Amino acid sequence: MLLLSLNNITKTFGGLVAVAGFSARVNRGEVVGLIGPNGAGKTTVFNLITGSIKLDAGFVFFSGHSLSGLRPHRIVKLGISRTFQSIRLFPHMSVLENVLSGCHCRMQSGLFAAIFHLPRQRREEKMVLNNAMNELDFVGLASKWNLKAGSLAYGDQRRLEIARALATEPKLVILDEPAGGMNDKETEALTGLIENIRKRDVTVMLIEHDMRFVMHVCDRVLVMENGALIAEGTPEEIQKDPKVIEAYLGVGEED
Amino acid sequence: MDFFIQQLTNGLTVGGIYALIALGYTMVYGVMKLINFAHGELFTLGAYIGFTLLVTFNFTGLFGTVIGLGFSVILVSCLVAVAGHLLERVAYRPLRHSDRLAAVVSALGASIFLQNAIMLKWGAQRLAYKPNILPNVSVNIFGQPMPFIRILVFLVAVFVMFGLYIFINRTRTGMAIRAAAIDQGAAKLMGIDVSRVIALVFIIGPALGGLAGLMAGLLYGPINFNMGQIYGLKAFTAAIIGGIGNIQGAMVGGLLLGLLESMGAAYISVAWKDGITFMVLIVILVFRPTGLLPERVAEKL
């Protein structure tokens, strides 16, 4: 079942064309990798999907809704959530509070109920706290709930970002270099985590430079170069694709 | 010793007023990285609306002291909150994506506009809260007779600050405000409506500022249309002392500045009262621009 479709999306910054008529489809339940040389426009595609930047042309459809012109928090509410290439936690807030901030958009009771501490609000508060702890448990950080997010080890911060993203109850979670800066053991654990995310019926889209990881976790891989899609297929197909090999070898250094 | 206690309570009272105003500066800065230069005028507006309710309409005479005063406090806070919300809509929201300097100019413009609007509405001559609005009783503290109004102002300030502290640190909405202050972009992408957070900050801050205006009128009596300038500047100094963007900092900074000022006036010279404030501002800006409290600027609300 089609979940996300990108139709000819385009974005230019000044004279630079970052994304040039990029089209792609993501089906429900898939784990899709987006790869390409540095500067290919991968993160820009993610920013366009989540509404952080506005499209110059093209359309994004997500489970029957057009996302054009929607503000980021509305898009989150529709069910798209993300993590960041450079970690963007709220460092002074506790681990639990970071996850709770993700739950915020699913809360029903308004300010009025919060101020007067109505029973409905208290029930909801309890439920949200429960959900947040479950998410922490899911990524294996439950025992660190009380620490400041900024004090966590790098790999833990990455996992906390994932927990925070999952707390928004997304249908699609977008991970921007989730294995970046992780050691082999952490990367392996991440593979298991993504497998578990899929089991929760959450679709995953990810950018990653660690090819072994990409080939291992993704059902399908999209390859970008200079803002356009140059190849698409299963990991096996992609590895054999001459255009992909050229794009990578032609650019030379790649991490 | 008596003299010292007198100055101590005096300083804490005026410090409470500074702190309430400073909270408005610091919350807006925390979320928007903008100094709301019109905030002092919202304080003045609070003082004038309070004057209308308590002197012109004689609320305490009509409803009794407690209910009349309570009514006035709530009405002043609500009306100034509405004014603050309108200010954000008209003067700041249209400029949210433009240069930061544009918003600063807009803030200054809004300040001049509000000051003149108040002057046109209530007149350029100074008005005075009547001294008999509250019963003129004193309470003995350490053997010193203390005017009731002073204690009331201090207690209200502390109560409101405590409430705000709980709101910011213990409620979900408070958490959204903190998240937006740390990283607006990330907050948006976690589903937090940052526009709503900004609107909320422009309701809470002005409500506190307006309340401070009412209390300053009750405490000192005379008010005039440009009183917000000097109070605003001092509260801004208080916010800087605590580290701008830092809520606890504004509370501590306000009380500290009030104490410094009253002690300076008492033991150095009354003439130097304002001079001391601004010397403190300069010293802080030169030696510790991030404020006295340990958190870094604007990263923590």
Side-chain angles (χ1 to χ4, degrees):
Chain A
M1 197 183 89
L2 184 66
L3 183 67
L4 174 79
S5 88
L6 310 174
N7 299 327
N8 270 310
I9 62 171
T10 299
K11 181 73 196 176
T12 48
F13 296 110
L16 179 82
V17 182
V19 178
F22 181 83
S23 296
R25 307 175 132 225
V26 176
N27 296 314
R28 191 169 150 183
E30 276 189 308
V31 176
V32 175
L34 181 59
I35 65 169
N38 282 330
K42 305 180 297 286
T43 296
T44 308
V45 167
F46 280 10
N47 286 340
L48 289 169
I49 296 172
T50 54
S52 307
I53 54 177
K54 284 196 167 58
L55 287 164
D56 289 338
F59 299 95
V60 179
F61 289 100
F62 177 73
S63 69
H65 299 269
S66 165
L67 302 188
S68 304
L70 285 187
R71 290 191 290 157
H73 71 271
R74 303 287 315 163
I75 295 177
V76 176
K77 224 166 175 177
L78 285 176
I80 302 182
S81 181
R82 70 171 292 176
T83 67
F84 301 90
Q85 185 178 352
S86 54
I87 293 171
R88 281 172 79 175
L89 291 165
F90 305 120
H92 296 293
M93 297 185 0
S94 74
V95 166
L96 179 63
E97 280 182 322
N98 268 275
V99 181
L100 286 171
S101 74
C103 301
H104 186 82
C105 69
R106 298 289 164 205
M107 294 190 68
Q108 302 293 325
S109 18
L111 194 59
F112 183 79
I115 288 171
F116 293 100
H117 233 68
L118 301 179
R120 192 174 79 103
Q121 195 261 347
R122 256 178 295 172
R123 267 201 307 277
E124 184 171 49
E125 198 78 3
K126 225 174 170 175
M127 198 186 73
V128 163
L129 213 60
N130 243 326
N131 289 352
M133 278 315 282
N134 285 341
E135 293 302 349
L136 281 178
D137 204 38
F138 183 74
V139 300
L141 286 174
S143 63
K144 298 181 179 168
W145 66 276
N146 207 10
L147 298 177
K148 286 259 178 288
S151 72
L152 292 183
Y154 194 77
D156 284 352
Q157 293 201 15
R158 285 235 175 264
R159 282 188 293 155
L160 177 54
E161 266 208 320
I162 293 174
R164 186 178 65 171
L166 290 172
T168 65
E169 296 171 25
K171 296 184 189 122
L172 169 70
V173 65
I174 291 179
L175 310 174
D176 198 346
E177 296 196 27
M182 281 189 171
N183 60 34
D184 286 353
K185 217 180 113 206
E186 285 170 329
T187 307
E188 203 183 300
L190 183 66
T191 310
L193 185 59
I194 288 173
E195 212 37 63
N196 287 335
I197 294 175
R198 186 220 299 268
K199 279 186 199 141
R200 285 169 54 168
D201 194 27
V202 175
T203 308
V204 179
M205 223 181 148
L206 57 89
I207 293 177
E208 190 45 68
H209 284 304
D210 183 335
M211 283 308 135
R212 213 155 40 110
F213 174 78
V214 170
M215 298 307 163
H216 196 68
V217 300
C218 295
D219 306 314
R220 212 149 55 79
V221 178
L222 310 170
V223 189
M224 273 187 95
E225 193 192 12
N226 296 328
L229 186 72
I230 58 165
E232 181 181 359
T234 63
E236 294 76 31
E237 287 164 2
I238 289 299
Q239 276 168 311
K240 291 182 204 124
D241 192 307
K243 270 192 287 185
V244 177
I245 295 167
E246 194 198 313
Y248 272 86
L249 294 182
V251 166
E253 204 179 289
E254 181 60 44
D255 54 358
Chain B
M1 190 59 194
D2 288 354
F3 184 64
F4 174 79
I5 289 173
Q6 195 88 44
Q7 295 313 317
L8 184 77
T9 54
N10 204 359
L12 287 175
T13 309
V14 68
I17 290 178
Y18 290 159
L20 285 186
I21 313 172
L23 284 167
Y25 280 109
T26 227
M27 286 178 75
V28 166
Y29 185 87
V31 177
M32 293 181 76
K33 312 293 174 265
L34 164 79
I35 306 289
N36 176 17
F37 284 107
H39 190 57
E41 274 59 47
L42 294 170
F43 161 85
T44 313
L45 189 64
Y48 273 87
I49 294 175
F51 176 86
T52 299
L53 298 179
L54 288 169
V55 180
T56 313
F57 294 162
N58 189 19
F59 261 34
T60 46
L62 285 176
F63 305 109
T65 308
V66 177
I67 298 176
L69 190 66
F71 250 5
S72 308
V73 164
I74 293 169
L75 262 176
V76 165
S77 301
C78 291
L79 290 173
V80 179
V82 169
H85 181 64
L86 288 175
L87 174 74
E88 193 262 327
R89 277 287 168 113
V90 175
Y92 301 134
R93 189 170 294 189
L95 296 170
R96 193 160 309 153
H97 301 289
S98 40
D99 203 53
R100 264 171 75 185
L101 208 54
V104 171
V105 173
S106 183
L108 288 169
S111 159
I112 295 167
F113 171 82
L114 280 172
Q115 212 178 91
N116 283 282
I118 291 168
M119 188 184 76
L120 288 172
K121 171 74 183 72
W122 279 282
Q125 73 281 34
R126 66 174 50 203
L127 302 171
Y129 278 58
K130 292 207 179 84
N132 60 355
I133 291 171
L134 292 177
N136 203 350
V137 288
S138 293
V139 185
N140 272 323
I141 293 180
F142 299 115
Q144 275 288 310
M146 199 63 59
F148 174 65
I149 174 67
R150 228 188 258 183
I151 298 168
L152 184 71
V153 166
F154 180 69
L155 287 182
V156 168
V158 168
F159 175 76
V160 169
M161 287 192 278
F162 180 72
L164 183 70
Y165 180 85
I166 296 292
F167 173 71
I168 292 289
N169 287 293
R170 295 273 184 281
T171 70
R172 216 52 73 220
T173 310
M175 199 184 60
I177 295 178
R178 278 186 292 150
I182 297 169
D183 186 338
Q184 271 198 31
K188 277 181 200 162
L189 290 167
M190 290 309 125
I192 292 169
D193 185 347
V194 171
S195 278
R196 248 191 86 204
V197 167
I198 290 173
L200 192 61
V201 162
F202 265 101
I203 285 171
I204 298 172
L208 301 182
L211 175 64
L214 172 73
M215 298 206 300
L218 282 172
L219 191 62
Y220 295 118
I223 56 173
N224 63 355
F225 71 93
N226 59 9
M227 68 194 286
Q229 269 181 351
I230 191 78
Y231 273 96
L233 213 49
K234 284 187 179 168
F236 177 59
T237 306
I240 300 268
I241 290 176
I244 193 144
N246 183 328
I247 285 196
Q248 288 96 298
M251 299 177 183
V252 174
L255 294 174
L256 204 64
L257 186 69
L259 281 175
L260 267 171
E261 201 181 272
S262 74
M263 293 298 170
Y267 292 102
I268 301 172
S269 156
V270 180
W272 279 87
K273 199 175 119 208
D274 294 345
I276 290 165
T277 303
F278 298 119
M279 273 193 300
V280 170
L281 175 63
I282 291 168
V283 169
I284 296 275
L285 284 177
V286 170
F287 293 104
R288 217 178 140 84
T290 54
L292 295 179
L293 265 71
E295 284 95 1
R296 301 230 313 273
V297 187
E299 282 201 337
K300 175 150 186 170
L301 239 166

